[in-house]
Amino acid sequence: MAQAAAVARPPAPARRRRASATPRRLPYLLIAPGALLMLGFIAYPVLSVFYYSLQNYNPTKPWRNGYAGFGNFVRIFTGDPQFWDTLTFSAKWVVVEVGLQLLFGLALALIVNQTFAGRALARALVFSPWAVSGVLTSAIWVLLYNSQTGITRYLADAGIGSYGTSWLSDTSTVFPAAIVADLWRGVPFFAILILADLQSVSKDLYEAAEVDGASRLKQFWHITLPHLKDAIVLSTLLRAVWEFNNVDLLYTLTGGGPAGETTTLPLYVADTSVDAHDFGYASALTTVAFVILLFCSIVYLRLSKFGGEGR
């Protein structure tokens, strides 16, 4: 009996291996339910978009529904000039917005990183616009741009411009007006991320640079910027994706007008799906936008050498 029990029981090293394997697997088992739920909520919509991009699907015209193959994509690139117009404006919007937000966010981060009286209050004021939702931001700026009660009225009282002028309905001023409104909310994003990274810069580096006679500009160029490289690359990439997909602010501010001057590609997708009910074509537009963003993100990360030896 003793011999049979000895044969049945695994050797001690094998038991220890099994016991040690259980704690290693436990974290993955604990997060598995949440991971599966997230995968389902993310994967299903994405796969649905890819599926409907190959279909003609309009609930108001069910007799036209059916498999379209690549017909929607052919229509995008050969028979839809509005696609190219909205894509061009989206690129312009992203470049201008992200560039200005980075510039002003970096300047604000450098300012509030200094030691001065009231710095905590200044930081709170700088970061507060980021806590405001996009729709509420749009509502605030709609009131500010109102021709009867907003900025233009007070400028007209001061002799600048004329009464009844609406910057959001003029094709020559709507783009700068929308840029300023989004800057107010987007600049704090860069300021927060850059300031967080500035906190980790060793003061010894600046002290050594001062001893060597380096000016403030040289310290910024050779110490601060290299240290902030990864933070700047990551924040600009994230913000570029968000700005490309910006719908709430432009939709509330201008509705894509006047005369389609501020219609981005995602706003065009929203109009195509919600207003025209052409979900098949809207899904194809979304797929094209996804591929464009994926390609640009990969190229940007490769060119910027994100995560490499840049410090």
Side-chain angles (χ1 to χ4, degrees):
M1 294 291 293
Q3 292 180 350
V7 172
R9 294 180 60 186
R15 292 199 301 270
R16 285 197 295 269
R17 283 197 299 270
R18 291 178 183 176
S20 61
T22 301
R24 288 200 302 266
R25 296 173 182 173
L26 182 60
Y28 300 101
L29 294 176
L30 293 176
I31 66 173
L36 291 175
L37 285 174
M38 290 183 61
L39 182 62
F41 282 114
I42 294 174
Y44 176 73
V46 172
L47 294 177
S48 296
V49 168
F50 291 154
Y51 169 77
Y52 283 112
S53 68
L54 302 176
Q55 306 290 323
N56 289 320
Y57 182 67
N58 188 331
T60 63
K61 301 176 181 178
W63 59 88
R64 294 185 180 179
N65 296 343
Y67 181 70
F70 293 100
N72 288 326
F73 296 97
V74 173
R75 174 184 167 191
I76 289 174
F77 294 106
T78 61
D80 188 1
Q82 191 171 357
F83 165 76
W84 297 106
D85 293 339
T86 56
L87 181 61
T88 302
F89 177 76
S90 297
K92 177 183 175 182
W93 173 263
V94 169
V95 171
V96 175
E97 271 294 345
V98 174
L100 291 178
Q101 288 179 19
L102 172 61
L103 180 63
F104 290 117
L106 176 60
L108 281 177
L110 292 173
I111 291 172
V112 297
N113 190 47
Q114 305 300 316
T115 302
F116 56 89
R119 183 176 68 170
L121 178 60
R123 288 181 175 181
L125 292 175
V126 168
F127 301 154
S128 58
W130 182 245
V132 181
S133 68
V135 174
L136 184 55
T137 299
S138 304
I140 292 172
W141 284 92
V142 165
L143 292 175
L144 289 174
Y145 290 144
N146 188 280
S147 59
Q148 303 299 323
T149 60
I151 299 173
T152 55
R153 177 186 174 182
Y154 294 102
L155 291 177
D157 290 340
I160 303 174
S162 57
Y163 290 101
T165 301
S166 177
W167 290 345
L168 296 177
S169 60
D170 190 339
T171 56
S172 62
T173 58
V174 64
F175 182 70
I179 286 291
V180 171
D182 201 41
L183 279 177
W184 181 78
R185 183 169 180 257
V187 166
F189 170 77
F190 283 94
I192 293 170
L193 289 184
I194 293 174
L195 177 63
D197 208 26
L198 281 174
Q199 304 297 307
S200 63
V201 181
S202 175
K203 303 298 181 184
D204 296 338
L205 295 175
Y206 294 104
E207 293 175 359
E210 289 181 0
V211 171
D212 293 338
S215 63
R216 287 292 184 91
L217 181 60
K218 288 185 177 180
Q219 292 178 33
F220 172 76
W221 189 259
H222 294 286
I223 298 176
T224 306
L225 271 186
H227 186 88
L228 296 176
K229 175 200 166 187
D230 284 350
I232 290 175
V233 171
L234 180 61
S235 58
T236 51
L237 177 60
L238 291 175
R239 196 60 188 161
V241 173
W242 291 340
E243 290 296 344
F244 184 89
N245 292 317
N246 191 327
V247 173
D248 53 356
L249 185 137
L250 285 175
Y251 183 81
T252 310
L253 268 183
T254 67
E261 287 290 322
T262 58
T263 302
T264 58
L265 183 56
L267 193 56
Y268 179 42
V269 172
D271 292 339
T272 304
S273 58
V274 177
D275 295 338
H277 305 290
D278 194 350
F279 292 98
Y281 189 62
S283 298
L285 289 170
T286 303
T287 302
V288 171
F290 169 78
V291 173
I292 291 173
L293 283 177
L294 180 63
F295 174 78
C296 292
S297 299
I298 293 174
V299 171
Y300 180 65
L301 290 175
R302 289 290 183 90
L303 293 179
S304 62
K305 299 179 181 179
F306 176 72
E309 294 295 330
R311 299 187 179 185

